[in-house]
Every structure is written in structure tokens, then in C-alpha cells.
Amino acid sequence: MDHFNFVDGHLHVEHLDVRQIVEQHGSPVYVYSAHTLKNHYSVLKDAFSALSPLICFSVKSCSNLSILKLLVDQGSGLDVVSGGELHRALMAGVTADKIVFAGVGKSREEIRYAVEAGVFLFNVESEGELLRLDEVATTAGKRIKVAIRINPDVADADTPEKTSTGGRQTKFGIPMERAYELFEPKRYSSVDVVGIHIHLGSPIPSAQTYLSAIDKIEDMINRLKATDCAIEFVNIGGGFPAQYGTESNPVGSLTETGALICQRLQGLKQRGIRFIIEPGRSISANAGILLTTVEYIKQGWDRKIAIVDAGMNVLLRPTLYGANHVIWPTHFENLSGHWTAITHSAQLSDVTHLEETDIVGPICETGDHFALGRALPAFDNGSVLAIFSCGAYGMSMASQYNSRGRPPEVLVEGINAKLIRARETHEDLVVHELCGLDNA
Ligand SMILES: *Cc1c(COP(=O)(O)O)cnc(C)c1O
């Protein structure tokens, strides 16, 4: 469960009224709850405790240094997909033996950096990458461990097309049949192929999807047993769900999914295999919200349009994926309770008057909207709205499009709010271009 609740009609993050955050740090602003991050980490740890996996939080879902550090302090490892993320991971204080490095396009430079840093496991996505890894490791005089990311041709029907990664039509992984020969130890001088990796997409609502892929991995390990290749690690990736609507119970489903996966993997565990999971959104999505202020309300041809101060540059998911986030005024009647209960009960009640409203941003793009025709209670210019479930793929996808600086990030613990990323200024927007001006 997360820590975003209405108290007497005012939204609170943990014990802090969000009004204080906007007063102090302005709008728009991303706000995270430290207790929620810790709670989700421990729910996941418990859900998979039967496997005692190495948990590597997916840095790309939420890459702020303070949040990475908070999770690292809980014992988390980190899953990185670029040299930049590796830099963040090391700055957050994780030891290299808890870092896994994924991604289809690792450059020679990135590989060199990761080999030097002593990254625990490379998740490899092509034969070319394996050869490059071997060459770089040999030059550096190091031995490295590799897991092959296989493409199991398994897709969850309820995973959005743009974030489904386990099917045969995607660029991810190596088709299983082609992968076998790559496990052959003789092929390499400095690489030990010791693992099998999958990441099926995000989110994966059905546990059955994982189980289908795990069956294929088990077959593969059985076939590989006949060769002189020893598989030590199975990495089942991330994609465990978060709560985006007001209906589901993600914590319950996480525990259930974990139990089913653990059960299916018991056989491999008894054979001495160790496990890795790479959760992103299941830890961070419900630990963050975006607060945004209404600039104008206008009447369109046939619709009410509210223009807010955050746009697709701040939160891209609705534009990129058609994602639906619950949006609600941070001040609503006099009710107290969890945000899902408050927004859900108002949707059902005959007392609250709801009006269909478009929530749009200031960016000069038609696709710059957070909701179209959404039933929402009345609010005025200057009202602060909360966009929920924004802790994953929110700030980490933000850009400066339209030359708008990225918003600040604030981490709340109890009644304390800590600025963990400053708002970008106009100077920040141009700093890397001054070199091109004659007089600079
Ligand atoms: C993005 C990604 C994850 C995390 O996915 P979530 O849905 O946020 O859990 C894990 N592993 C890999 C390889 C990824 O690319």
C-alpha cells in the first residue's frame, strides 16, 4: 500500500500536506514517499523470499540518485541499461557485484566502463555484443560473467504493444533456437556464459506469462546440461504490476505472482541455480505523484479544457503509451481516506457533481494531454491537481521540449520534505550551447 491519503479533504504524502510542498518548491513538482518505496521493496522481497533472489531495481524506471540510494540502503542491487545509468548506480553507492547491465545496444565505451567497474553480470542481446564483450574484457585482462537474454516468444495479451518485449516480433533477446550455440564455452577467451535472462515487458499482468517463459527456460537448461555449459543464474526480469486505476490490489497480486513464480522455480533452485529479478514500476510507480497547477480553464467547441502547467515534457506516458493515470484535485470536499477510495467513491456517488474535462499541457502538440473527457469534480484556476502513479517512467522520461526546464523532485518521509532534484533554470537550458556562440 502507498502513503498518499486525503486528510479532511487535503491530499497528504505520508504526514505532509502537499500544499506545503507546492508553496515551497513551486509547480509542477514530482513528489515521492520514502516509506512507500521501502514498503514496496520489502513486499517484493517477501513475495520472492523462497528464491532469495538478487533484487536489482530498474534504474530507468526512476533514476534519481537519492531514490537509488534509499533502495540500495535497503539492500537492493541495480539494473542499468546505459553507461549513464551505471554512473548513477555507482554514485548511489551500490557495489558493482550487485549491478546487472542490460540493453540491446551497448557501445564499446559503455562496455569498457562496465568491465572496469566490475559489473556482476552482463545481460547480452546479440552474438555481436558477446564478441565485443569478449574482446573488451580480454584487452582489459578481466574475466566477465554473462547471461544470454533469450527471446522466448512469449507475450502477455494485456501488456501494451509498445512495452511488450518477449514476443518474436520485438528487437529484444536472441531467439531460443539460435541461442544454444552461444553457450559454448570454447567460443570465448574472457567470457563465462553462466546465465539465462528474460524480460517479457512491462507491466505483465498475468503470472501465467512468466510461468510459460520459465517452462521454456527449464527446457533450455535441460538441453544445455548435456553440453559442458554450466548455468548458474536465471534472471526473470521485471514487469511486475503497479496500481494505475482505482480498482486492483497490486500488493496482493505481487504476492500471488511471486508465490506462483517461486513455486515453479523450486526445481531449478534445488539444482543450485540462483535467481535475479529486476523490478522497476512495482517499486516506484505508486511511490510518486506529479503535482500540477491549473493555469486556465476554457470552453472548447464541445468540451471543457483545463490547461495545466505540466505537459508531455514532464510526464510522457499518456502521450507515448496512451497511459491512463488517475487525476484528482488535491483539495476535495472534506473526505479522508486513501486516494483510490476517495476518487473511486466520488466516481460512483450521485452527490458529487462530475464534469467531463480534458486535462492538457502547455506544449505545442495536439498529443499533449493527460486525460480526455475525464469525469472530474469542479476546480478553479490555480487549483493543484495530483496525477497519481507517476513514480515510474515519469521524471526519468522528462525532457526539455519547448525549452521548458524539468521540474524538481521532492522526497517525503513522515512530515519532512527533502529536495532531491532542483528545478531546471533557463541557464540550464542553454548551458551546453554557449560553446557555439562567438562571444562565449
Ligand atoms: C525496463 C526493464 C525492467 C523493469 O521493468 P518494470 O516494468 O519497470 O518492472 C527490467 N528489466 C529490463 C531488462 C528492463 O528493460
Side-chain angles (χ1 to χ4, degrees), residues 84-284:
E85 286 195 352
L86 175 57
H87 181 65
R88 285 179 179 277
L90 295 170
M91 278 190 79
V94 74
T95 50
D97 61 352
K98 283 184 167 179
I99 299 176
V100 295
F101 189 2
V104 292
K106 301 177 191 74
S107 70
R108 198 177 294 275
E109 196 76 338
E110 288 176 315
I111 290 173
R112 203 175 293 135
Y113 178 29
V115 166
E116 288 299 338
V119 157
F120 164 54
L121 194 61
F122 290 80
N123 294 324
V124 166
E125 306 222 16
S126 64
E127 183 174 1
E129 185 191 337
L130 257 170
L131 299 177
R132 188 182 269 187
L133 273 164
D134 197 32
E135 182 198 313
V136 174
T138 304
T139 309
K142 307 237 177 177
R143 281 207 84 75
I144 57 170
K145 283 192 194 335
V146 157
I148 296 201
R149 178 170 181 176
I150 55 163
N151 183 311
D153 193 20
V154 167
D156 192 306
D158 292 322
T159 302
E161 192 192 345
K162 282 189 176 140
T163 54
S164 181
T165 56
R168 63 168 64 208
Q169 76 291 353
T170 74
K171 68 178 178 184
F172 295 100
I174 300 174
M176 294 188 69
E177 284 308 315
R178 288 179 189 278
Y180 280 99
E181 54 179 319
L182 302 181
F183 286 89
E184 187 66 50
K186 289 198 289 290
R187 296 171 65 108
Y188 316 105
S189 351
S190 308
V191 162
D192 295 316
V193 181
V194 293
I196 297 178
H197 175 228
I198 50 166
H199 171 64
L200 303 173
S202 155
I204 306 290
S206 159
Q208 188 52 48
T209 308
Y210 289 100
L211 302 186
S212 304
I214 288 168
D215 285 347
K216 294 194 175 189
I217 291 178
E218 207 158 0
D219 287 347
M220 193 165 197
I221 291 178
N222 289 337
R223 255 177 81 179
L224 285 168
K225 228 179 126 189
T227 71
D228 47 359
C229 160
I231 297 297
E232 297 170 39
F233 299 97
V234 167
N235 179 342
I236 58 169
F240 312 111
Q243 182 160 33
Y244 288 99
T246 57
E247 62 305 317
S248 59
N249 172 0
V251 171
S253 77
L254 217 54
T255 304
E256 264 164 49
T257 301
L260 289 167
I261 293 174
C262 287
Q263 200 180 2
R264 185 64 61 96
L265 286 170
Q266 273 314 309
L268 288 179
K269 184 172 192 288
Q270 275 152 20
R271 285 155 69 173
I273 303 271
R274 286 151 66 196
F275 301 95
I276 301 165
I277 58 175
E278 302 168 335
R281 77 180 67 223
S282 50
I283 290 178
S284 55

Side-chain angles (χ1 to χ4, degrees), residues 21 25-32 64 289-293 309-316 363 370 390 394-401 403-410 419-425 428-429:
I21 299 172
H25 299 288
S27 169
V29 54
Y30 275 101
V31 183
Y32 305 92
N64 184 287
I289 61 172
L290 173 62
L291 298 175
T292 182
T293 303
D309 61 4
M312 61 190 274
N313 62 311
V314 172
L315 176 67
L316 185 59
I363 301 292
F370 296 130
C390 285
M395 185 61 175
S396 64
M397 281 190 177
S399 77
Q400 296 175 332
Y401 186 39
S403 286
R404 291 178 171 274
R406 277 171 280 231
E409 295 180 287
V410 170
L419 183 67
I420 56 171
R421 192 184 208 275
R423 185 181 300 283
E424 289 179 353
T425 63
D428 293 329
L429 297 174

Side-chain angles (χ1 to χ4, degrees), residues 24 45 51 63 87 134 154 282-283 288 293 311 319 355 379 416:
Q24 193 176 351
K45 195 173 162 192
L51 301 175
S63 36
H87 181 65
D134 197 32
V154 167
S282 50
I283 290 178
T293 303
T319 305
E355 198 179 350
F379 51 79
N416 299 312

